Amino acid sequence: MVRVTITQVAEYAGVSIASASRALNGQIASAETIAKVQHAAATLGYVADATARSLKLGRTHQLAYAVADIGNPVYVEMMTAIERVVSASGYRLVLSSTGTSSSSVDVVRDLGRGYVDGMILSPLRVTDELLAALAKTPTPVVVLGRLPDGTSLDTVRADSVTAMRLVVDHLVAEGRRDIAFVNGPGDTTPGTFRRDGFNTAVTAHPLVSTRSIDADDFTIAAGYAAARRVLDGDRRPDAIVAANDLIGIGAIRAAEDLGLTVPDDIAVTGIDNTELTGVIRPGLTSVDLGADERGRVAAELLLARIAEPSRAAHTVTVAPALVVRGSSLSRARAQGRAPHHETDSTELDEERAAG
């Protein structure tokens, strides 16, 4: 199919090429000219050359969202929130999977090619090489995650320390006294902060026994394998705190395959409160880290940075909230509660006060 050119549109409309270009690009033109050109473009089936227009205007009207694992539901939730904000401002969102830390560096370096006007990056690992690439890029970047103090970039953070305190306090209140923490890779940013948060949380409960193990990844399969190692040991815990929901789901499956009942024999909790937590049975207790809110804030920060490149860097921390489901209740509470009942931390506190 032969592409219709702006020259043909101008000829059909009976105007100059310059007038046709102004009319099609929203620049100053008479109402009569705009009507003629739009009619000509529709009749001929003209489609604007996005590349040429981007070069002319100095904008691509595309933004990138780069994450380690595009299959992880928490990233999908953030992506949905980001797309909702940027599309309302006329931008198209481009998705990129980074995987390893070196891939994150490559993605940032590629920003110099000018294929997007800005990027929201959620790196799994923050290395010196990545920080150097971020410092050099001329393209606005907002980071979902934590960067070293003094880094002059817009960031949106989860509060893993408070998240771990919420879930550990909940398990102890439910009568659990031997808690295993199943983390993801400990050299990652989420792995580091969730491990530190767990270690801080358990110091408030000196009578509780704890142990930690790292899974090979933040996935169901890796969580299953790590949980099997914990549950097959000589001393079986009565609770597992998983570093994310996928690991938590893997832990529930591992417990079932070993003939254990959740939550009677072992309680399991996750982090992120993704949609999967309400699909499995029993429902998975999880800490909501505000994925939707983090995505929304990151998108707004990026648009603000594009509009005002010299503005001061902002760091926003989104507060977590515990969502209690059947996977972590004590035996007595699990038996007395309707199956799959879902509650949040506020309702749970009210129940305890009343009882």
PDB file of all heavy atoms in Angstrom, residues 139-170:
ATOM      1  N   THR A 139      17.874  12.127  29.865  1.00  0.00           N
ATOM      2  CA  THR A 139      16.433  11.901  29.862  1.00  0.00           C
ATOM      3  C   THR A 139      15.905  11.804  31.286  1.00  0.00           C
ATOM      4  O   THR A 139      16.517  11.144  32.130  1.00  0.00           O
ATOM      5  CB  THR A 139      16.107  10.595  29.109  1.00  0.00           C
ATOM      6  OG1 THR A 139      16.671  10.666  27.795  1.00  0.00           O
ATOM      7  CG2 THR A 139      14.610  10.376  29.016  1.00  0.00           C
ATOM      8  N   PRO A 140      14.785  12.430  31.612  1.00  0.00           N
ATOM      9  CA  PRO A 140      14.220  12.346  32.965  1.00  0.00           C
ATOM     10  C   PRO A 140      13.915  10.913  33.368  1.00  0.00           C
ATOM     11  O   PRO A 140      13.355  10.144  32.581  1.00  0.00           O
ATOM     12  CB  PRO A 140      12.935  13.177  32.856  1.00  0.00           C
ATOM     13  CG  PRO A 140      13.175  14.112  31.720  1.00  0.00           C
ATOM     14  CD  PRO A 140      14.006  13.347  30.744  1.00  0.00           C
ATOM     15  N   VAL A 141      14.294  10.547  34.593  1.00  0.00           N
ATOM     16  CA  VAL A 141      14.052   9.207  35.118  1.00  0.00           C
ATOM     17  C   VAL A 141      13.495   9.315  36.532  1.00  0.00           C
ATOM     18  O   VAL A 141      13.984  10.107  37.342  1.00  0.00           O
ATOM     19  CB  VAL A 141      15.348   8.365  35.148  1.00  0.00           C
ATOM     20  CG1 VAL A 141      15.078   6.993  35.787  1.00  0.00           C
ATOM     21  CG2 VAL A 141      15.919   8.185  33.753  1.00  0.00           C
ATOM     22  N   VAL A 142      12.473   8.520  36.826  1.00  0.00           N
ATOM     23  CA  VAL A 142      11.960   8.357  38.184  1.00  0.00           C
ATOM     24  C   VAL A 142      12.196   6.905  38.578  1.00  0.00           C
ATOM     25  O   VAL A 142      11.905   5.995  37.804  1.00  0.00           O
ATOM     26  CB  VAL A 142      10.460   8.689  38.273  1.00  0.00           C
ATOM     27  CG1 VAL A 142       9.916   8.380  39.670  1.00  0.00           C
ATOM     28  CG2 VAL A 142      10.225  10.161  37.932  1.00  0.00           C
ATOM     29  N   VAL A 143      12.730   6.692  39.774  1.00  0.00           N
ATOM     30  CA  VAL A 143      13.056   5.345  40.238  1.00  0.00           C
ATOM     31  C   VAL A 143      12.022   4.869  41.242  1.00  0.00           C
ATOM     32  O   VAL A 143      11.735   5.563  42.227  1.00  0.00           O
ATOM     33  CB  VAL A 143      14.466   5.291  40.855  1.00  0.00           C
ATOM     34  CG1 VAL A 143      14.728   3.919  41.481  1.00  0.00           C
ATOM     35  CG2 VAL A 143      15.519   5.593  39.794  1.00  0.00           C
ATOM     36  N   LEU A 144      11.450   3.698  40.980  1.00  0.00           N
ATOM     37  CA  LEU A 144      10.589   3.022  41.941  1.00  0.00           C
ATOM     38  C   LEU A 144      11.481   2.127  42.782  1.00  0.00           C
ATOM     39  O   LEU A 144      11.925   1.065  42.341  1.00  0.00           O
ATOM     40  CB  LEU A 144       9.535   2.182  41.215  1.00  0.00           C
ATOM     41  CG  LEU A 144       8.310   2.929  40.693  1.00  0.00           C
ATOM     42  CD1 LEU A 144       7.589   2.095  39.648  1.00  0.00           C
ATOM     43  CD2 LEU A 144       7.370   3.278  41.831  1.00  0.00           C
ATOM     44  N   GLY A 145      11.796   2.560  43.976  1.00  0.00           N
ATOM     45  CA  GLY A 145      12.722   1.821  44.828  1.00  0.00           C
ATOM     46  C   GLY A 145      13.624   2.774  45.577  1.00  0.00           C
ATOM     47  O   GLY A 145      13.428   3.996  45.556  1.00  0.00           O
ATOM     48  N   ARG A 146      14.628   2.200  46.207  1.00  0.00           N
ATOM     49  CA  ARG A 146      15.526   3.003  47.033  1.00  0.00           C
ATOM     50  C   ARG A 146      16.861   3.213  46.349  1.00  0.00           C
ATOM     51  O   ARG A 146      17.419   2.304  45.750  1.00  0.00           O
ATOM     52  CB  ARG A 146      15.735   2.328  48.394  1.00  0.00           C
ATOM     53  CG  ARG A 146      14.497   2.385  49.280  1.00  0.00           C
ATOM     54  CD  ARG A 146      14.765   1.747  50.631  1.00  0.00           C
ATOM     55  NE  ARG A 146      13.595   1.881  51.481  1.00  0.00           N
ATOM     56  CZ  ARG A 146      13.385   2.872  52.337  1.00  0.00           C
ATOM     57  NH1 ARG A 146      14.296   3.825  52.463  1.00  0.00           N
ATOM     58  NH2 ARG A 146      12.299   2.917  53.075  1.00  0.00           N
ATOM     59  N   LEU A 147      17.370   4.431  46.474  1.00  0.00           N
ATOM     60  CA  LEU A 147      18.692   4.787  46.007  1.00  0.00           C
ATOM     61  C   LEU A 147      19.515   5.288  47.185  1.00  0.00           C
ATOM     62  O   LEU A 147      18.960   5.691  48.209  1.00  0.00           O
ATOM     63  CB  LEU A 147      18.604   5.874  44.930  1.00  0.00           C
ATOM     64  CG  LEU A 147      17.895   5.501  43.622  1.00  0.00           C
ATOM     65  CD1 LEU A 147      17.838   6.714  42.701  1.00  0.00           C
ATOM     66  CD2 LEU A 147      18.603   4.350  42.930  1.00  0.00           C
ATOM     67  N   PRO A 148      20.835   5.257  47.083  1.00  0.00           N
ATOM     68  CA  PRO A 148      21.666   5.764  48.188  1.00  0.00           C
ATOM     69  C   PRO A 148      21.350   7.220  48.515  1.00  0.00           C
ATOM     70  O   PRO A 148      20.956   7.989  47.635  1.00  0.00           O
ATOM     71  CB  PRO A 148      23.090   5.609  47.641  1.00  0.00           C
ATOM     72  CG  PRO A 148      22.994   4.541  46.601  1.00  0.00           C
ATOM     73  CD  PRO A 148      21.642   4.699  45.978  1.00  0.00           C
ATOM     74  N   ASP A 149      21.489   7.578  49.764  1.00  0.00           N
ATOM     75  CA  ASP A 149      21.275   8.960  50.182  1.00  0.00           C
ATOM     76  C   ASP A 149      22.165   9.897  49.373  1.00  0.00           C
ATOM     77  O   ASP A 149      23.331   9.593  49.087  1.00  0.00           O
ATOM     78  CB  ASP A 149      21.584   9.121  51.678  1.00  0.00           C
ATOM     79  CG  ASP A 149      20.582   8.376  52.550  1.00  0.00           C
ATOM     80  OD1 ASP A 149      19.479   8.076  52.049  1.00  0.00           O
ATOM     81  OD2 ASP A 149      20.913   8.082  53.719  1.00  0.00           O
ATOM     82  N   GLY A 150      21.608  11.027  49.014  1.00  0.00           N
ATOM     83  CA  GLY A 150      22.371  12.007  48.258  1.00  0.00           C
ATOM     84  C   GLY A 150      22.207  11.892  46.759  1.00  0.00           C
ATOM     85  O   GLY A 150      22.684  12.744  46.012  1.00  0.00           O
ATOM     86  N   THR A 151      21.529  10.832  46.288  1.00  0.00           N
ATOM     87  CA  THR A 151      21.276  10.687  44.855  1.00  0.00           C
ATOM     88  C   THR A 151      20.179  11.651  44.437  1.00  0.00           C
ATOM     89  O   THR A 151      19.088  11.645  44.995  1.00  0.00           O
ATOM     90  CB  THR A 151      20.851   9.252  44.517  1.00  0.00           C
ATOM     91  OG1 THR A 151      21.832   8.344  45.008  1.00  0.00           O
ATOM     92  CG2 THR A 151      20.720   9.069  43.013  1.00  0.00           C
ATOM     93  N   SER A 152      20.475  12.495  43.448  1.00  0.00           N
ATOM     94  CA  SER A 152      19.539  13.548  43.061  1.00  0.00           C
ATOM     95  C   SER A 152      18.607  13.067  41.951  1.00  0.00           C
ATOM     96  O   SER A 152      18.706  13.478  40.799  1.00  0.00           O
ATOM     97  CB  SER A 152      20.300  14.789  42.605  1.00  0.00           C
ATOM     98  OG  SER A 152      19.409  15.847  42.310  1.00  0.00           O
ATOM     99  N   LEU A 153      17.692  12.160  42.331  1.00  0.00           N
ATOM    100  CA  LEU A 153      16.689  11.662  41.400  1.00  0.00           C
ATOM    101  C   LEU A 153      15.351  11.548  42.120  1.00  0.00           C
ATOM    102  O   LEU A 153      15.306  11.301  43.334  1.00  0.00           O
ATOM    103  CB  LEU A 153      17.083  10.282  40.861  1.00  0.00           C
ATOM    104  CG  LEU A 153      18.149  10.208  39.762  1.00  0.00           C
ATOM    105  CD1 LEU A 153      18.494   8.749  39.497  1.00  0.00           C
ATOM    106  CD2 LEU A 153      17.688  10.882  38.479  1.00  0.00           C
ATOM    107  N   ASP A 154      14.277  11.698  41.383  1.00  0.00           N
ATOM    108  CA  ASP A 154      12.948  11.468  41.953  1.00  0.00           C
ATOM    109  C   ASP A 154      12.786   9.977  42.239  1.00  0.00           C
ATOM    110  O   ASP A 154      13.068   9.135  41.377  1.00  0.00           O
ATOM    111  CB  ASP A 154      11.868  11.927  40.981  1.00  0.00           C
ATOM    112  CG  ASP A 154      11.900  13.426  40.726  1.00  0.00           C
ATOM    113  OD1 ASP A 154      11.962  14.181  41.714  1.00  0.00           O
ATOM    114  OD2 ASP A 154      11.849  13.826  39.549  1.00  0.00           O
ATOM    115  N   THR A 155      12.338   9.642  43.442  1.00  0.00           N
ATOM    116  CA  THR A 155      12.134   8.247  43.812  1.00  0.00           C
ATOM    117  C   THR A 155      10.807   8.072  44.541  1.00  0.00           C
ATOM    118  O   THR A 155      10.332   8.976  45.223  1.00  0.00           O
ATOM    119  CB  THR A 155      13.266   7.731  44.726  1.00  0.00           C
ATOM    120  OG1 THR A 155      13.334   8.543  45.909  1.00  0.00           O
ATOM    121  CG2 THR A 155      14.605   7.767  44.028  1.00  0.00           C
ATOM    122  N   VAL A 156      10.235   6.882  44.378  1.00  0.00           N
ATOM    123  CA  VAL A 156       9.022   6.501  45.091  1.00  0.00           C
ATOM    124  C   VAL A 156       9.322   5.176  45.780  1.00  0.00           C
ATOM    125  O   VAL A 156       9.710   4.203  45.132  1.00  0.00           O
ATOM    126  CB  VAL A 156       7.821   6.349  44.150  1.00  0.00           C
ATOM    127  CG1 VAL A 156       6.561   6.017  44.951  1.00  0.00           C
ATOM    128  CG2 VAL A 156       7.603   7.627  43.343  1.00  0.00           C
ATOM    129  N   ARG A 157       9.127   5.135  47.113  1.00  0.00           N
ATOM    130  CA  ARG A 157       9.567   3.989  47.896  1.00  0.00           C
ATOM    131  C   ARG A 157       8.404   3.293  48.590  1.00  0.00           C
ATOM    132  O   ARG A 157       7.404   3.917  48.935  1.00  0.00           O
ATOM    133  CB  ARG A 157      10.548   4.426  48.987  1.00  0.00           C
ATOM    134  CG  ARG A 157      11.789   5.141  48.514  1.00  0.00           C
ATOM    135  CD  ARG A 157      12.582   5.643  49.698  1.00  0.00           C
ATOM    136  NE  ARG A 157      13.862   6.236  49.326  1.00  0.00           N
ATOM    137  CZ  ARG A 157      14.705   6.775  50.201  1.00  0.00           C
ATOM    138  NH1 ARG A 157      14.383   6.819  51.477  1.00  0.00           N
ATOM    139  NH2 ARG A 157      15.858   7.274  49.780  1.00  0.00           N
ATOM    140  N   ALA A 158       8.594   1.999  48.805  1.00  0.00           N
ATOM    141  CA  ALA A 158       7.744   1.259  49.729  1.00  0.00           C
ATOM    142  C   ALA A 158       8.416   1.287  51.103  1.00  0.00           C
ATOM    143  O   ALA A 158       9.610   1.544  51.207  1.00  0.00           O
ATOM    144  CB  ALA A 158       7.582  -0.178  49.259  1.00  0.00           C
ATOM    145  N   ASP A 159       7.646   1.022  52.149  1.00  0.00           N
ATOM    146  CA  ASP A 159       8.182   1.012  53.515  1.00  0.00           C
ATOM    147  C   ASP A 159       8.244  -0.436  53.998  1.00  0.00           C
ATOM    148  O   ASP A 159       7.336  -0.934  54.661  1.00  0.00           O
ATOM    149  CB  ASP A 159       7.286   1.858  54.426  1.00  0.00           C
ATOM    150  CG  ASP A 159       7.856   2.015  55.831  1.00  0.00           C
ATOM    151  OD1 ASP A 159       8.855   1.330  56.148  1.00  0.00           O
ATOM    152  OD2 ASP A 159       7.279   2.783  56.619  1.00  0.00           O
ATOM    153  N   SER A 160       9.335  -1.129  53.648  1.00  0.00           N
ATOM    154  CA  SER A 160       9.469  -2.544  53.988  1.00  0.00           C
ATOM    155  C   SER A 160       9.641  -2.777  55.478  1.00  0.00           C
ATOM    156  O   SER A 160       9.225  -3.820  55.998  1.00  0.00           O
ATOM    157  CB  SER A 160      10.644  -3.149  53.224  1.00  0.00           C
ATOM    158  OG  SER A 160      10.408  -3.166  51.840  1.00  0.00           O
ATOM    159  N   VAL A 161      10.256  -1.831  56.166  1.00  0.00           N
ATOM    160  CA  VAL A 161      10.465  -1.992  57.606  1.00  0.00           C
ATOM    161  C   VAL A 161       9.131  -2.030  58.341  1.00  0.00           C
ATOM    162  O   VAL A 161       8.865  -2.927  59.151  1.00  0.00           O
ATOM    163  CB  VAL A 161      11.362  -0.866  58.163  1.00  0.00           C
ATOM    164  CG1 VAL A 161      11.439  -0.949  59.681  1.00  0.00           C
ATOM    165  CG2 VAL A 161      12.764  -0.961  57.558  1.00  0.00           C
ATOM    166  N   THR A 162       8.267  -1.078  58.044  1.00  0.00           N
ATOM    167  CA  THR A 162       6.946  -1.076  58.673  1.00  0.00           C
ATOM    168  C   THR A 162       6.121  -2.280  58.221  1.00  0.00           C
ATOM    169  O   THR A 162       5.379  -2.870  59.011  1.00  0.00           O
ATOM    170  CB  THR A 162       6.195   0.222  58.336  1.00  0.00           C
ATOM    171  OG1 THR A 162       6.943   1.337  58.818  1.00  0.00           O
ATOM    172  CG2 THR A 162       4.812   0.243  58.973  1.00  0.00           C
ATOM    173  N   ALA A 163       6.254  -2.655  56.954  1.00  0.00           N
ATOM    174  CA  ALA A 163       5.521  -3.818  56.436  1.00  0.00           C
ATOM    175  C   ALA A 163       5.863  -5.071  57.232  1.00  0.00           C
ATOM    176  O   ALA A 163       4.970  -5.842  57.631  1.00  0.00           O
ATOM    177  CB  ALA A 163       5.851  -4.026  54.967  1.00  0.00           C
ATOM    178  N   MET A 164       7.131  -5.290  57.493  1.00  0.00           N
ATOM    179  CA  MET A 164       7.542  -6.469  58.250  1.00  0.00           C
ATOM    180  C   MET A 164       7.083  -6.396  59.708  1.00  0.00           C
ATOM    181  O   MET A 164       6.704  -7.406  60.300  1.00  0.00           O
ATOM    182  CB  MET A 164       9.059  -6.631  58.173  1.00  0.00           C
ATOM    183  CG  MET A 164       9.519  -7.191  56.852  1.00  0.00           C
ATOM    184  SD  MET A 164       8.888  -8.872  56.591  1.00  0.00           S
ATOM    185  CE  MET A 164       9.445  -9.185  54.923  1.00  0.00           C
ATOM    186  N   ARG A 165       7.096  -5.221  60.265  1.00  0.00           N
ATOM    187  CA  ARG A 165       6.620  -5.087  61.651  1.00  0.00           C
ATOM    188  C   ARG A 165       5.141  -5.445  61.738  1.00  0.00           C
ATOM    189  O   ARG A 165       4.716  -6.144  62.665  1.00  0.00           O
ATOM    190  CB  ARG A 165       6.846  -3.654  62.156  1.00  0.00           C
ATOM    191  CG  ARG A 165       6.306  -3.429  63.573  1.00  0.00           C
ATOM    192  CD  ARG A 165       6.544  -2.007  64.043  1.00  0.00           C
ATOM    193  NE  ARG A 165       5.937  -1.013  63.182  1.00  0.00           N
ATOM    194  CZ  ARG A 165       4.644  -0.722  63.186  1.00  0.00           C
ATOM    195  NH1 ARG A 165       3.803  -1.362  63.986  1.00  0.00           N
ATOM    196  NH2 ARG A 165       4.174   0.217  62.385  1.00  0.00           N
ATOM    197  N   LEU A 166       4.357  -4.988  60.762  1.00  0.00           N
ATOM    198  CA  LEU A 166       2.926  -5.291  60.761  1.00  0.00           C
ATOM    199  C   LEU A 166       2.669  -6.799  60.716  1.00  0.00           C
ATOM    200  O   LEU A 166       1.846  -7.330  61.464  1.00  0.00           O
ATOM    201  CB  LEU A 166       2.245  -4.617  59.566  1.00  0.00           C
ATOM    202  CG  LEU A 166       2.090  -3.098  59.612  1.00  0.00           C
ATOM    203  CD1 LEU A 166       1.596  -2.583  58.263  1.00  0.00           C
ATOM    204  CD2 LEU A 166       1.139  -2.680  60.719  1.00  0.00           C
ATOM    205  N   VAL A 167       3.386  -7.492  59.856  1.00  0.00           N
ATOM    206  CA  VAL A 167       3.104  -8.907  59.669  1.00  0.00           C
ATOM    207  C   VAL A 167       3.654  -9.749  60.820  1.00  0.00           C
ATOM    208  O   VAL A 167       3.021 -10.716  61.264  1.00  0.00           O
ATOM    209  CB  VAL A 167       3.627  -9.385  58.291  1.00  0.00           C
ATOM    210  CG1 VAL A 167       5.126  -9.609  58.293  1.00  0.00           C
ATOM    211  CG2 VAL A 167       2.893 -10.623  57.829  1.00  0.00           C
ATOM    212  N   VAL A 168       4.819  -9.390  61.338  1.00  0.00           N
ATOM    213  CA  VAL A 168       5.378 -10.135  62.482  1.00  0.00           C
ATOM    214  C   VAL A 168       4.518  -9.923  63.722  1.00  0.00           C
ATOM    215  O   VAL A 168       4.197 -10.887  64.440  1.00  0.00           O
ATOM    216  CB  VAL A 168       6.840  -9.724  62.733  1.00  0.00           C
ATOM    217  CG1 VAL A 168       7.329 -10.276  64.082  1.00  0.00           C
ATOM    218  CG2 VAL A 168       7.747 -10.223  61.613  1.00  0.00           C
ATOM    219  N   ASP A 169       4.117  -8.694  63.999  1.00  0.00           N
ATOM    220  CA  ASP A 169       3.245  -8.431  65.155  1.00  0.00           C
ATOM    221  C   ASP A 169       1.940  -9.205  65.033  1.00  0.00           C
ATOM    222  O   ASP A 169       1.416  -9.733  66.023  1.00  0.00           O
ATOM    223  CB  ASP A 169       2.944  -6.929  65.257  1.00  0.00           C
ATOM    224  CG  ASP A 169       4.146  -6.111  65.724  1.00  0.00           C
ATOM    225  OD1 ASP A 169       5.170  -6.712  66.097  1.00  0.00           O
ATOM    226  OD2 ASP A 169       4.038  -4.868  65.716  1.00  0.00           O
ATOM    227  N   HIS A 170       1.410  -9.286  63.824  1.00  0.00           N
ATOM    228  CA  HIS A 170       0.163 -10.025  63.594  1.00  0.00           C
ATOM    229  C   HIS A 170       0.345 -11.510  63.909  1.00  0.00           C
ATOM    230  O   HIS A 170      -0.484 -12.124  64.593  1.00  0.00           O
ATOM    231  CB  HIS A 170      -0.290  -9.841  62.154  1.00  0.00           C
ATOM    232  CG  HIS A 170      -1.297 -10.848  61.703  1.00  0.00           C
ATOM    233  ND1 HIS A 170      -2.567 -10.936  62.237  1.00  0.00           N
ATOM    234  CD2 HIS A 170      -1.203 -11.846  60.766  1.00  0.00           C
ATOM    235  CE1 HIS A 170      -3.227 -11.929  61.646  1.00  0.00           C
ATOM    236  NE2 HIS A 170      -2.422 -12.492  60.761  1.00  0.00           N
TER     237      HIS A 170
END
